[in-house]
């Protein structure tokens, strides 16, 4: 079977750094993706890690450790507009399997 | 505008009925994916079509079916609807069959079964 675990909620202060962790168990694995979804909106693609290590895209970075079946999304210099749900997703044989999502609340 | 078009945006129907959700992928994308998102839940994978052929299937109910047409648009048919089918249904597209460049999601169809 396939399962992904991520915290249900995280709260942080504007300007701070927050890390959202994701652990996964899957029968097939090609990479780990991260998506952002604002309330009532469509998910939008943030990053994809196929290999171990850190990928940086502006204020967002994503990390993968294949041996530990673990990844995280790092958000720096948090802004109010970053308040949203963040989903990790495993790329597994012609489909993305999504976690249940982490709701991030950024406080002033 | 993501380039992925889903219609209708909202749908209210009664139990036992049948509905069809439509998706036009982003120009040039050959893959279409369907996902179901219930209230405050994650995205449940339903099915993936690539250039008209089914490539992967999730835990899609037998009451649900989908197809991708030669012009690459896709339809998701939901029949014998139950209250529990109320959800947001997203379509996404990608250029190939992989995910490295990300899926582009449409704005979704909100289905309410009463």
């Amino acid at each position: 079977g396939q399962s992904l675990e991520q915290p249900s909620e995280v709260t942080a202060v504007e300007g701070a750094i927050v890390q959202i962790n994701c652990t996964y168990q899957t029968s097939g694995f090609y990479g780990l993706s991260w998506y952002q979804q604002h309330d009532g909106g469509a998910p939008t693609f943030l990053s994809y890690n196929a290999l171990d290590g850190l990928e940086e895209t502006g204020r967002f970075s994503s990390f993968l450790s294949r041996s530990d079946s673990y990844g995280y999304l790092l958000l720096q210099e948090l802004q109010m507009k970053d308040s949203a749900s963040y989903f990790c997703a495993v790329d597994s044989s012609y489909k993305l399997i999504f976690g249940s999502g982490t709701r991030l609340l950024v406080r002033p | 505008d993501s380039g992925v078009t889903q219609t209708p945006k909202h749908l209210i129907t009664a139990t036992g009925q049948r509905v069809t959700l439509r998706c036009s992928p982003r120009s040039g994308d050959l893959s279409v994916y369907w996902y179901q998102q219930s209230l405050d839940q994650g995205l449940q994978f339903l099915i993936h079509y690539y250039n008209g052929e089914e490539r992967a299937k999730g835990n899609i109910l037998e009451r649900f079916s989908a197809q991708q047409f030669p012009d690459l648009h896709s339809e998701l048919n939901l029949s014998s609807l139950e209250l529990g089918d109320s959800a947001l249904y997203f379509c996404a597209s990608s250029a190939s069959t992989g995910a490295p460049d990300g899926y582009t999601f449409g704005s979704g169809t909100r289905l309410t079964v009463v």
Side-chain angles (χ1 to χ4, degrees), chain B residues 15-19 36 59-66 76-86 89 111 113:
Chain B
T15 55
Q17 294 298 304
R18 172 190 169 94
V19 297
Q36 178 193 56
N59 292 327
I60 186 168
L61 299 171
E62 284 190 16
R63 300 183 287 108
F64 294 3
S65 65
L76 179 66
N77 300 295
L78 316 176
S79 61
S80 302
L81 284 167
E82 302 175 359
L83 296 178
D85 297 327
S86 295
Y89 290 84
L111 173 67
V113 182

Side-chain angles (χ1 to χ4, degrees), chain B residues 20 27 30-31 42-43 48-49 70 90 92 94:
Chain B
T20 297
S27 178
L30 299 179
S31 274
L43 294 138
H48 168 203
Y49 279 88
F90 284 107
S94 68

Side-chain angles (χ1 to χ4, degrees), chain B residues 21-72:
Chain B
L21 313 184
R22 183 189 167 100
C23 170
S24 293
R26 199 177 52 164
S27 178
D29 286 355
L30 299 179
S31 274
V32 170
Y33 311 82
W34 285 97
Y35 283 85
Q36 178 193 56
Q37 186 174 38
S38 301
L39 194 63
D40 291 333
Q41 295 293 311
L43 294 138
Q44 300 298 317
F45 171 71
L46 296 178
I47 199 161
H48 168 203
Y49 279 88
Y50 175 77
N51 203 20
E53 301 281 334
E54 182 185 304
R55 281 303 175 97
K57 210 169 189 177
N59 292 327
I60 186 168
L61 299 171
E62 284 190 16
R63 300 183 287 108
F64 294 3
S65 65
Q67 55 183 325
Q68 185 180 29
F69 295 86
D71 67 352
L72 300 178

